Amino acid sequence: MKHFYLFSIILAIVLVTSYIDAFTRTDFPEDFLFGAATSAYQWEGAVDEDGRTPSVWDTSSHCHNGSNGDIACDGYHKYKEDVKLMANMGLEAFRFSISWTRLIPNGRGPINPKGLLFYKNLIKELRSHGIEPHVTLYHYDLPQSLEDEYGGWINRKIIEDFTGFADVCFREFGDDVKLWTTINEATIFAFAFYGEGIKFGHCSPTKYINCSTGNSCMETYIAGHNMLLAHASASSLYKLKYKSKQRGSIGLSIFALGLSPYTNSKDDEIATERAKAFLFGWMLKPLVYGDYPDEMKRILGSRLPVFSEEESEQVKGSSDFVGIIHYTTVYVTNRPAPYIFPSSTNKGFFTDMGAYIISAGNSSSFEFDATPWGLEGILEHLKQSYNNPPIYILENGTPMKHDSMLQDTPRVEYIQAYIGAMLNAIKNGSDMRGYFVWSLIDLYEITVGYTTSFGMYYVNFSDPGRKRSPKLSAFWYSGFLKGTIDVAKDITQLQSNFSAGSSSL
């Protein structure tokens, strides 16, 4: 097994180098969108300004006595500056989320006029610079009032409240927004926050985790079920009430690890297929075929909720596209092995899956090793198994320790490799529509706060003005989009120009 693992690492290195062949922006379809991404709580700050009320993210961040998003990047006040950075880079699209409690402070009921104005102004600013807004409705910031009232995503009441929130967004912003994602990475949201108890979810009490509420073996799948129903409800509303006039598209996003057998044994191959059913099919099979994978139904039995005939029909076909959140690839084995997920003291979901997850890269590194062959594998699997749906890569990037180092060469190499992999997938017939780097600028991150970051712009969080400074990755991405650099060449020259201060966006 050790020899096989060593061979896999060598193969990964060889495959990464194969993505450095020449490609340009013009090799991609003309209507393909290249952009960057953020989310409301991680970017906006201004958590108690102009009528915004707490979400579960606010509550959790303050309960843990760690860093928080009270100020974050101060995007609420600096959005015009950030849009100018995007325009200078040549970004074609920007993905951001709506803070539910900034727009509707009580979760339902009256709209906050100042919150409404902020998002209208942001969208107008993007449009005026030729940047397509891609809006995520829900990026984990559930109104605390709804969590207190009925427990959030484990209660079917969330379906009506989420649909009401979506209705306001469609009505107020839909004339200028053509791309909507309902729920961010619904898979990991369900199993990490309602099974593992990360940050602002629920979990079962164990000797390792002190949870006051939760039932991991049930709530993971109840929350996931309600997310699918809420997505389908919002999608149905959009298509019935707004789509004919606004002509937009609506989709759901999932967290998608690249999955590869740890050995060439039959057991590991079967375990990998089970992992695909749980990590991909859990959400995608209902969206495409109207029901959960047979493997999940067999393993989970009565713990897996059941769609009524009407619900099945509503969920089926409710996504115009699939949003993919992808960062890295893992190996899958049928035998006990170390987990990739650091919060895995409660392993319920993975025990159900009957597969063990091993990192394909250097787990001691701050960065994700580039494994672009894993992304190609995901895209090929979705093409073959789910009728080749339109796909946006909504997040892709690598973290590095947050400091003043602007020469983020590993990030440049990472992004370059994945863009090359994506082009290969397009040539092989995948219906790719867009790619978003996570993230535009350094953000407040869910589990690490401000210690590591993904941004193409450095943010000085010690500076009250939150000064932004471009990293090497910003110059590279801009040069790729504008066609001013040769991506086939070594980046040494770009580094030299960057160090000399002679490069400009």
Side-chain angles (χ1 to χ4, degrees), residues 11 29 38-39 72 93 95 134 145 165 193 197 200 202 223 234 248 257 277 300 305 309 341 345 408 448 481 488-489:
L11 178 62
T38 63
S39 82
R95 178 181 176 239
H134 189 132
S145 59
F165 166 55
F193 302 146
F200 27 78
H202 303 178
L257 290 165
L300 297 173
E309 185 174 338
F341 295 99
T345 48
D408 57 342
V448 295
L481 294 176
K489 292 182 178 178

Side-chain angles (χ1 to χ4, degrees), residues 249-290:
S249 298
I250 187 167
L252 181 78
S253 79
I254 65 168
F255 183 80
L257 290 165
L259 300 170
S260 181
Y262 185 49
T263 74
N264 58 2
S265 71
K266 187 66 175 177
D267 283 346
D268 282 2
E269 290 177 6
I270 293 172
T272 303
E273 292 306 307
R274 273 199 311 274
K276 289 178 181 178
F278 272 74
L279 292 170
F280 302 157
W282 180 17
M283 298 292 171
L284 295 186
K285 193 159 186 185
L287 292 177
V288 177
Y289 300 109

